[in-house]
């Protein structure tokens, strides 16, 4: 499948998103998002690709640790080399293979299996990946269950504009509607916010939209 071929050649994908300014525009969008968190936070970037979301927050929160997963081992290698480019300490990052259909089940580099603990992440990053799940709704529910109380999930989802739909079709990305996704977050007890990209966020604006969900807090850890 074309989508999987593209992600296997991660070097080309990485070159493409850097040289077209895509990474920069996502970085700019994320840096404008207020995510006020206290203490050392645990971040999960599920379907990390080149790592742009997880690494952004690792740079922003010096005490944070990141678990980055993807189906493609090459993506994990590229995420680590991008971490080096950003001068981020390798010891703050754990990588593993995981299918977004079962995001909490991870295979580590030594072949051992690891299961992510429920309520253990303060921040979960998703970017155009849940549409590759065998069931988007099941994956989202599993991901929400990994959020700590008050934790935030940022999903930079494919938008429903003509360009977003074109690229989704081109890369065999099929998903539930954004309104269904919002409803699902609410049903799971999250506060949810839909944030559109602006002109200053081109070219990412052409394909992405942000769904930001915060799990109800028993003690407030973060706020959106
Ligand atoms: C469009 S890229 C997005 C990468 C990154 N999250 C971002 O926002 O730029 C989609 C990513 O999903 C990964 N992917 C595709 N199918 C997957 C699956 N079944 N499970 C986990 N990751 C998958 C690809 O390898 C690729 O890294």
């Amino acid at each position: 499948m074309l989508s999987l071929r593209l992600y296997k050649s991660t070097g080309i994908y990485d070159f493409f998103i850097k040289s077209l300014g895509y990474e920069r525009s996502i970085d700019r969008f994320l840096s404008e998002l207020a995510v006020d968190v206290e203490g050392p936070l645990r971040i999960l970037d599920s379907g990390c690709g080149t790592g742009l979301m997880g690494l952004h927050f690792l740079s922003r929160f010096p005490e944070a640790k990141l678990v980055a997963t993807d189906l493609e081992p090459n993506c994990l290698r590229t995420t680590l080399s991008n971490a080096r480019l950003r001068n981020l300490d390798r010891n703050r990052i754990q990588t593993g293979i995981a299918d977004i259909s079962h995001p909490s089940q991870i295979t580590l580099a030594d072949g051992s299996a690891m299961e992510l603990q429920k309520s253990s992440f303060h921040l979960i990053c998703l970017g155009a990946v849940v549409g590759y799940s065998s069931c988007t709704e099941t994956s989202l529910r599993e991901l929400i269950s990994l959020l700590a109380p008050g934790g935030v999930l940022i999903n930079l989802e494919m938008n429903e504009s003509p360009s977003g739909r074109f690229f989704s079709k081109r890369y065999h990305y099929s998903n539930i509607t954004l309104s269904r996704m919002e409803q699902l977050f609410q049903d799971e007890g999250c506060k949810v916010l839909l944030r559109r990209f602006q002109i200053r966020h081109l070219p990412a604006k052409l394909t992405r939209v942000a769904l930001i969900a915060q799990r109800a807090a028993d003690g407030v850890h973060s706020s959106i």
Side-chain angles (χ1 to χ4, degrees):
M1 217 148 78
L2 179 60
S3 59
L4 291 183
R5 277 210 306 276
L6 176 71
Y7 303 135
K8 275 187 207 303
S9 336
T10 325
I12 297 171
Y13 180 64
D14 192 39
F15 173 77
F16 168 74
I17 63 170
K18 282 193 168 92
S19 53
L20 292 183
Y22 206 84
E23 182 180 85
R24 186 177 29 80
S25 58
I26 296 250
D27 232 31
R28 174 175 296 173
F29 178 83
L30 292 176
S31 62
E32 292 170 9
L33 276 187
V35 183
D36 300 321
V37 280
E38 291 165 15
L41 68 158
R42 274 173 53 77
I43 304 171
L44 171 66
D45 189 346
S46 207
C48 62
T50 60
L52 79 183
M53 290 185 74
L55 297 179
H56 167 91
F57 287 108
L58 214 50
S59 301
R60 189 158 149 189
F61 300 109
E63 290 181 74
K65 296 225 164 136
L66 171 69
V67 176
T69 68
D70 201 282
L71 194 62
E72 286 300 330
N74 276 341
C75 288
L76 304 179
R77 284 189 275 276
T78 304
T79 294
L80 290 176
S81 67
N82 281 334
R84 272 195 299 278
L85 289 177
R86 291 182 187 232
N87 290 320
L88 291 166
D89 182 351
R90 168 72 180 87
N91 295 321
R92 296 173 64 203
I93 308 168
Q94 183 170 37
T95 58
I97 304 287
D99 188 326
I100 196 67
S101 304
H102 309 285
S104 52
Q105 293 166 23
I106 297 186
T107 305
L108 300 174
D110 63 6
S112 62
M114 184 176 94
E115 171 123 19
L116 299 176
Q117 297 303 303
K118 299 222 177 305
S119 308
S120 62
F121 289 94
H122 306 100
L123 181 58
I124 295 181
C125 304
L126 301 171
V129 66
V130 288
Y132 289 125
S133 170
S134 55
C135 176
T136 298
E137 297 201 7
T138 307
S139 290
L140 285 174
R141 286 200 182 89
E142 189 170 321
L143 286 156
I144 293 165
S145 78
L146 298 176
L147 273 181
V152 174
L153 182 154
I154 301 174
N155 184 12
L156 299 190
E157 194 48 83
M158 295 299 284
N159 66 34
E160 292 171 346
S161 69
S163 50
R165 285 182 198 278
F166 170 81
F167 281 101
S168 292
K169 192 161 184 226
R170 176 98 170 78
Y171 294 108
H172 307 281
Y173 188 78
S174 89
N175 217 343
I176 58 175
T177 61
L178 294 172
S179 59
R180 175 66 203 127
M181 216 176 276
E182 273 187 276
Q183 186 62 54
L184 184 149
F185 283 127
Q186 282 163 2
D187 292 347
E188 294 297 310
C190 296
K191 190 169 78 180
V192 59
L193 193 93
L194 190 119
R195 180 76 70 86
R196 308 226 174 256
F197 284 56
Q198 305 299 315
I199 297 289
R200 62 183 178 280
H201 306 125
L202 279 169
K205 175 184 167 50
L206 295 175
T207 56
R208 300 284 184 109
V209 63
L211 270 161
I212 306 165
Q214 183 174 30
R215 200 181 146 186
D218 10 86
V220 178
H221 295 288
S222 56
S223 65
I224 53 174

